[in-house]
Amino acid sequence: MITPSVPNPTDVILGDGILYKDYGLATQREIGACSGDSKLSVSRKFNHVDYNGQYGDTKGLKYLTKSQPQLTINLLSISPQNLSDCFAGLTLNDQATYTEITESLDITNAMYWTNLTFIGERKDGKDVWIQLDNVLGDQEKIELALKTDNHLITDVMFTAHYGTTTPTTPPWRMRYLKA
């Protein structure tokens, strides 16, 4: 008989959380309600130093050449501000009776967020943070699926970018809060 391994509550992350633009800064703003799954993915590429006569990869000769963090959410709060913030290149033009959203072909530094922070909870009640730096909502496709008798949810993908003064510092982190 096999005795199962019971998980430690400090190691179990629950899926719900709150998403913030520029968390901890004067420009901090809660993005609003999300629905469904969110996903952190860090695409990584490794290379290996090859040499004549090798049978396979050799310990100590592998190195990382790319690490690209992205966070994907299902946005339920489809406000004009959220559309402009979450999809790079969209601009808002407030009129007397409406707000118009148009697309610009320029991606400016102002469109990058200082950080994107997802604050979730572990099973033991303590917070866990996923934070991306220099974030741009650079999803290639804007898709708003308008369905009869249903509400709109749109996928938004954010990509973290390396800083111009910190090109070797990965622009993401996770924090498991202790208190």
Side-chain angles (χ1 to χ4, degrees):
M1 176 179 268
I2 298 173
T3 302
S5 177
V6 178
N8 185 332
T10 62
D11 298 335
V12 177
I13 300 174
L14 305 176
D16 297 331
I18 301 171
L19 194 66
Y20 292 95
K21 172 186 178 182
D22 294 342
Y23 186 78
L25 304 173
T27 55
Q28 174 180 313
R29 185 173 86 76
E30 185 177 329
I31 296 303
C34 297
S35 179
D37 301 334
S38 297
K39 179 175 70 172
L40 170 69
S41 64
V42 182
S43 299
R44 301 171 356 141
K45 183 177 180 192
F46 292 90
N47 280 349
H48 181 269
V49 177
D50 293 331
Y51 55 92
N52 291 342
Q54 78 180 50
Y55 288 99
D57 290 356
T58 304
K59 180 179 176 180
L61 295 180
K62 192 164 280 200
Y63 56 98
L64 187 65
T65 61
K66 185 172 185 173
S67 175
Q68 188 64 70
Q70 294 178 315
L71 184 65
T72 303
I73 63 164
N74 295 313
L75 188 63
L76 181 60
S77 295
I78 314 290
S79 68
Q81 186 64 56
N82 276 350
L83 288 172
S84 175
D85 279 348
C86 295
F87 294 103
L90 297 185
T91 57
L92 302 179
N93 185 2
D94 283 324
Q95 300 296 318
T97 58
Y98 62 89
T99 300
E100 184 175 73
I101 302 168
T102 57
E103 187 168 27
S104 169
L105 298 179
D106 295 323
I107 303 300
T108 65
N109 281 339
M111 292 176 184
Y112 287 84
W113 302 3
T114 301
N115 69 62
L116 168 69
T117 305
F118 176 88
I119 299 179
E121 187 178 22
R122 299 189 316 248
K123 181 69 177 116
D124 66 354
K126 307 269 188 321
D127 286 349
V128 61
W129 294 13
I130 299 172
Q131 191 169 60
L132 280 63
D133 297 327
N134 307 311
V135 176
L136 188 66
D138 59 357
Q139 183 164 321
E140 292 183 7
K141 182 189 240 184
I142 299 172
E143 189 171 67
L144 304 175
L146 306 168
K147 297 181 181 181
T148 303
D149 297 328
N150 208 341
H151 54 279
L152 176 65
I153 298 172
T154 188
D155 293 338
V156 182
M157 182 178 64
F158 298 94
T159 303
H161 294 76
Y162 289 78
T164 55
T165 60
T166 55
T168 59
T169 302
W172 74 283
R173 69 198 59 75
M174 287 182 72
R175 293 181 181 165
Y176 287 73
L177 298 180
K178 296 178 182 179

